[in-house]
């Protein structure tokens, strides 16, 4: 079985903890560079090659860290063929924390996740199609 393993660090930008009612903008990295992807455990005799970076494809809050698979469904505020806005309520108990997950590749093959401040009550994710195939651009605001 072939495993994909990022070998360079890509960071999410997350601002200081929220003051009551304060809005916070979160930015996912736009791509995972080719050099950050390394294939290991490939069959003998096969040469690996990563042809392109993996572009940001999806962004959304999750219930817990990535291994919990806690993807959330937001309420669609607006949607067209090229742009959309989803709102996520984060009220209530989150025993494993509130997280933001940024997914890369057309099928969300690789994710980068960051824990949100426990006081976060909601996030609004505005997305639009990017210039590259499978690429989407996001504005994420949480409060």
């Amino acid at each position: 079985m072939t495993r994909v393993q990022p070998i360079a660090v890509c960071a999410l930008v997350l601002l200081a903890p929220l003051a009551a009612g304060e809005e916070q903008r979160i930015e996912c990295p736009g791509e995972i560079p080719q050099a950050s992807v390394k294939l290991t455990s490939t069959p003998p005799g096969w040469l690996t090659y990563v042809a392109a970076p993996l572009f940001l494809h999806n962004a959304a809050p999750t219930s817990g860290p990535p291994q919990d698979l806690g993807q959330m469904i937001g309420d669609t505020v607006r949607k067209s063929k090229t742009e959309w806005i989803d709102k996520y309520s984060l009220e209530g108990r989150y025993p494993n924390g509130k997280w933001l997950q940024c997914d890369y590749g057309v099928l969300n093959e690789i994710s980068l996740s960051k824990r949100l401040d426990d006081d976060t009550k909601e996030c609004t994710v505005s997305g639009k199609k990017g210039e590259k195939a499978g690429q989407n651009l996001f504005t994420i605001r949480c409060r």
Side-chain angles (χ1 to χ4, degrees):
M1 182 165 136
T2 301
R3 293 182 312 184
V4 178
Q5 189 175 36
I7 58 172
V9 177
C10 293
L12 294 176
V13 176
L14 186 58
L15 303 177
L18 295 176
E22 184 179 329
E23 187 173 89
Q24 178 179 47
R25 184 172 177 207
I26 303 165
E27 196 173 319
C28 294
E31 66 183 47
I32 294 178
Q34 291 163 262
S36 293
V37 179
K38 181 181 179 184
L39 301 175
T40 61
S41 303
T42 56
W46 290 92
L47 179 65
T48 61
Y49 172 70
V50 179
L54 293 171
F55 294 106
L56 179 62
H57 186 256
N58 191 44
T62 63
S63 172
Q67 63 271 21
D68 288 0
L69 302 176
Q71 284 78 10
M72 299 178 74
I73 298 174
D75 294 320
T76 300
V77 175
R78 184 174 66 203
K79 186 173 185 174
S80 72
K81 287 183 179 183
T82 58
E83 295 184 28
W84 58 94
I85 299 173
D86 293 321
K87 186 177 275 191
Y88 297 84
S89 174
L90 299 173
E91 297 284 346
R93 245 176 67 72
Y94 288 79
N96 295 324
K98 301 169 187 180
W99 291 69
L100 179 76
Q101 182 168 309
C102 304
D103 296 317
Y104 297 83
V106 177
L107 299 174
N108 302 329
E109 293 89 348
I110 295 178
S111 298
L112 296 176
S113 297
K114 176 81 173 179
R115 188 168 181 156
L116 298 171
D117 189 282
D118 288 339
D119 293 333
T120 303
K121 302 294 183 215
E122 74 175 26
C123 289
T124 301
V125 179
S126 303
K128 65 180 180 179
K129 298 285 182 189
E131 294 179 7
K132 310 286 185 190
Q135 178 188 39
N136 294 316
L137 308 171
F138 294 95
T139 301
I140 304 160
R141 290 189 165 80
C142 297
R143 58 178 187 88

